[in-house]
Amino acid sequence: MASKQFNDLGLGTKAKRLINKDGTFNVKRSGKGISFLNLYQSLIRMPWTWFLLLVMLVLLGVNALFGFIYFAYGVDSFIGIEKGDLAHEYLECLFFSFQTFTTVGYGHIAPIGEAVSLIASFEAMMGLMVFAIITGLLYGRFAKPNAKFLFSHNLLVSPYQDGLSLQFRIINQRKSNIMDLRARMLVSYTEKGKSRVYFPLTLERETVMLFPLNWTIVHPIDEKSPLRNMKKEDLALQDAEFIIVLKGYDDTFSQEVHSIHSYRYDELIWGARFKLMYQSMENGITELQTEKINDFEII
């Protein structure tokens, strides 16, 4: 084995899978209540579909509640609402709630009396605060720098010079320019009768200055590699996992971005190599065929 070893990477020595496929840590916290700070982080990191759905549900829920309060006071407390069946009266109260909440105020419906006017005033102030919070969250989501690297599905064990190597490749899914992209890779496995250990893996190339195409990252399995004597069965028996950390400078945000990914032993393809995924066009432009990132051939 290699002499250099991490006793603990911060992921513990008893865990199974360390990194999920989406780059998040395979950790679930318990025993702590929800705090505002955690709520803010969750809303910032939440997928866009869930975030927009949550915003719509909050807006509908708040206005449905105020609409019911107005309805409970009765349509006689408003100017501009004609009496009718219960559904018609509630919808009119709901529409008034939306107009008040958004401060649109068309004017054809107005409250009568101090109690209803006080509720409407409170709703208008609440609407201003809610929209300010939503605006801040939207800005935070757009302004937060994050990387969108696409990793190949599998880690390949491929021929390399006179021996073997581990290989995977990545592309930038965004149209932004990534510069000075750096990669680090390590392997984690459980030694017989011991806890999980971590070893860094030396890469053929640890950095690229520019990243317009794909990058095939290679770890030569030579005499210095901690994997030099391991076979497929050994990696499975020791529950091996390969962790990758990428860092680069994104010119869109003018900040450093990073990404984490991992492969487990059962995601390795032995005796394979990647197929070329870019070609030169007749007009001199190089075409990167992103749909081919996972294409490989068995040797």
Side-chain angles (χ1 to χ4, degrees):
M1 295 297 175
S3 58
K4 186 177 180 181
Q5 173 186 340
F6 296 126
N7 293 327
D8 187 357
L9 196 66
L11 297 172
T13 59
K14 303 295 183 182
K16 292 297 182 180
R17 174 139 207 170
L18 305 172
I19 306 294
N20 296 318
K21 293 301 293 182
D22 60 358
T24 59
F25 296 117
N26 189 27
V27 176
K28 179 181 179 181
R29 298 187 178 188
S30 62
K32 186 177 182 180
I34 299 176
S35 68
F36 178 78
L37 180 60
N38 291 333
L39 179 62
Y40 174 78
Q41 293 289 339
S42 299
L43 291 173
I44 289 293
R45 295 177 178 273
M46 184 181 296
W48 273 105
T49 302
W50 288 105
F51 176 77
L52 295 176
L53 179 61
L54 179 61
V55 168
M56 293 299 297
L57 289 176
V58 169
L59 295 179
L60 288 173
V62 170
N63 284 279
L65 175 61
F66 276 100
F68 179 79
I69 295 174
Y70 297 137
F71 175 75
Y73 268 88
V75 295
D76 293 334
S77 300
F78 296 90
I79 299 174
I81 297 181
E82 298 181 358
K83 289 188 176 182
D85 56 36
L86 296 180
H88 168 75
E89 293 181 358
Y90 176 74
L91 284 177
E92 288 292 323
C93 292
L94 180 64
F95 295 150
F96 173 73
S97 175
F98 272 105
Q99 295 167 24
T100 304
F101 191 80
T102 57
T103 67
V104 172
Y106 291 121
H108 70 283
I109 301 178
I112 303 175
E114 295 180 355
V116 179
S117 298
L118 183 62
I119 295 174
S121 300
F122 176 76
E123 183 183 11
M125 291 187 294
M126 184 177 178
L128 291 174
M129 290 187 292
V130 169
F131 281 111
I133 293 173
I134 294 175
T135 302
L137 289 171
L138 286 172
Y139 174 79
R141 292 177 65 89
F142 278 111
K144 180 176 69 70
N146 60 344
K148 284 293 182 180
F149 295 116
L150 181 61
F151 292 77
S152 57
H153 287 331
N154 297 104
L155 182 63
L156 306 187
V157 181
S158 306
Y160 177 81
Q161 296 180 357
D162 296 330
L164 297 174
S165 68
L166 289 179
Q167 297 186 8
F168 67 95
R169 61 184 178 186
I170 59 173
I171 60 173
N172 181 18
Q173 295 189 81
R174 299 189 187 278
K175 293 184 178 180
S176 59
N177 294 323
I178 301 293
M179 296 171 286
D180 194 23
L181 180 60
R182 303 179 298 279
R184 295 182 64 188
M185 185 177 183
L186 59 90
V187 61
S188 172
Y189 55 84
T190 303
E191 292 185 328
K192 186 176 181 181
K194 298 182 180 180
S195 300
R196 182 173 287 275
V197 294
Y198 304 86
F199 291 96
L201 299 179
T202 302
L203 302 179
E204 175 193 49
R205 179 188 301 174
E206 295 184 350
T207 182
V208 290
M209 293 184 61
L210 304 174
F211 186 46
L213 299 174
N214 67 286
W215 181 14
T216 300
I217 300 177
V218 179
H219 163 65
I221 305 178
D222 52 22
E223 65 279 357
K224 297 180 180 180
S225 172
L227 305 174
R228 65 184 184 275
N229 295 322
M230 285 194 176
K231 298 180 181 179
K232 183 177 182 180
E233 297 77 12
D234 299 326
L235 296 176
L237 184 62
Q238 298 180 355
D239 193 28
E241 183 172 354
F242 301 87
I243 302 174
I244 299 99
V245 178
L246 302 176
K247 289 184 180 181
Y249 182 82
D250 191 321
D251 68 345
T252 300
F253 299 102
S254 297
Q255 292 187 33
E256 189 175 70
V257 294
H258 69 275
S259 181
I260 304 174
H261 193 77
S262 80
Y263 296 96
R264 282 175 55 85
Y265 64 88
D266 54 357
E267 295 172 307
L268 269 67
I269 304 295
W270 294 73
R273 64 184 175 191
F274 286 112
K275 294 182 179 179
L276 191 67
M277 62 178 298
Y278 63 87
Q279 62 179 356
S280 297
M281 308 292 288
E282 293 182 356
N283 57 6
I285 297 178
T286 300
E287 179 185 21
L288 178 64
Q289 300 168 319
T290 58
E291 70 279 3
K292 294 184 177 181
I293 186 172
N294 300 309
D295 292 356
F296 62 86
E297 58 185 359
I298 301 298
I299 303 174

